[in-house]
Amino acid sequence: MFASLKSELRKIWSIRSTYFILIFAVLLIGLFAFYNEGFKAGVNSPPISDPHKLAGLVAAAVTNLALFGALVGILSVTHEYRYNTVIYTLTSTKSRTRSLIAKWFAITLFSLIFTVFVSALAIAAMYLGLALKGFTLVHQVFPLSLLWQAVFVGWGFSMFGFILAAIIRQQVGAMAAFFLIPALGEQLLSLLLKDNRIYLPFTALQQVTLPANAGITDPRQALSPGKAALVVCAYLAVGWFVAWYLYLKRDAN
């Protein structure tokens, strides 16, 4: 098991796209956190007098950049099918289940590191931008519950990406599904479900941090962070079972 986990981690860090995605995420943090939230904080919203500015920054950074961490997981899985190296993965272990679990642990570990990295870098970039302009934030209110919420959102995006990659296997198809389901699929379903749209998978995931991230302006209509996390876990449990069953039954090609 440990050897399989090391192999999966090596795959993630040996793909060039991993580094391109990280560089692009850093550039976006520089534009969003350093320039917009720091350097231009005197004229942009929320202002430096907002005691929730730091918490809002972390929530927004994780929610908006978590998809980049998910892309790394999608590519690490689908690259095996694209270049037909999945045969070596399956023959190097006696159990396909063990191989899939190793992928799950590797992507989980990467998503946790990525989420912490994004949060810390966004905070540092904002404070650097504020310092260069001579601004000082008022005393900030940062709820400790936001720590697990941010980590859960980053992990949740990666798990949805992992499940889609394991089921679809085709790289372009998995990436297209990952972008189209929340952007188009859930938008269309929202017209049908109306108020019950809060139970859709990606909509529920975004409510773990801020309901506004899911387009819900009235907090009274949103799920609580804990309930939203449970809804997401229910979707993930079903998705994991389907991915596991297909991983066992389908041919490698």
Side-chain angles (χ1 to χ4, degrees):
M1 182 64 188
F2 185 70
S4 297
L5 178 58
K6 285 180 61 178
S7 176
E8 295 302 328
L9 289 172
R10 191 181 303 113
K11 291 173 188 176
I12 291 177
W13 291 108
S14 62
I15 300 174
R16 285 179 297 177
S17 55
T18 298
Y19 299 95
F20 287 123
I21 289 172
L22 289 175
I23 291 172
F24 190 63
V26 170
L27 292 176
L28 285 180
I29 290 174
L31 177 64
F32 169 70
F34 171 78
Y35 183 76
N36 191 66
E37 299 295 329
F39 199 74
K40 288 291 184 179
V43 295
N44 289 336
S45 178
I48 57 176
S49 58
D50 184 359
H52 302 285
K53 182 178 177 66
L54 182 60
L57 171 74
V58 172
V62 171
T63 302
N64 293 320
L65 294 176
L67 63 92
F68 292 104
L71 287 179
V72 172
I74 292 175
L75 291 172
S76 69
V77 174
T78 56
H79 265 311
E80 289 189 322
Y81 294 98
R82 181 180 181 183
Y83 298 107
N84 204 31
T85 58
V86 67
I87 296 177
Y88 301 102
T89 299
L90 297 179
T91 55
S92 64
T93 180
K94 296 180 180 180
S95 170
R96 287 195 176 194
T97 299
R98 183 183 301 172
S99 173
L100 192 64
I101 292 175
K103 293 179 185 296
W104 182 90
F105 272 113
I107 294 173
T108 292
L109 183 59
F110 178 84
S111 70
L112 297 180
I113 294 174
F114 181 79
T115 301
V116 173
F117 169 75
V118 164
S119 302
L121 186 60
I123 293 173
M126 183 188 70
Y127 273 104
L128 178 60
L130 291 171
L132 291 177
K133 291 291 288 187
F135 294 139
T136 302
L137 285 180
V138 298
H139 177 73
Q140 294 294 295
V141 177
F142 192 92
L144 293 179
S145 60
L146 184 59
L147 297 177
W148 78 261
Q149 293 168 16
V151 170
F152 184 88
V153 168
W155 174 77
F157 270 103
S158 292
M159 288 299 102
F160 278 129
F162 168 62
I163 289 170
L164 290 173
I167 294 175
I168 299 174
R169 303 198 299 185
Q170 207 273 337
Q171 192 169 96
V172 176
M175 294 180 67
F178 182 70
F179 284 107
L180 289 178
I181 288 175
L184 181 61
E186 291 197 2
Q187 292 299 320
L188 294 176
L189 286 173
S190 295
L191 300 177
L192 177 64
L193 298 176
K194 301 184 185 304
D195 292 341
N196 289 326
R197 67 189 179 92
I198 59 176
Y199 295 100
L200 293 172
F202 284 94
T203 303
L205 180 58
Q206 294 178 76
Q207 292 174 82
V208 174
T209 49
L210 287 175
N213 291 332
I216 301 172
T217 55
D218 187 355
R220 293 173 297 180
Q221 299 177 353
L223 297 172
S224 65
K227 188 174 182 179
L230 289 176
V231 171
V232 171
C233 287
Y235 280 109
L236 291 178
V238 175
W240 282 327
F241 177 80
V242 174
W244 169 75
Y245 181 80
L246 294 177
Y247 196 74
L248 292 182
K249 299 299 181 181
R250 290 191 297 189
D251 293 335
N253 295 325

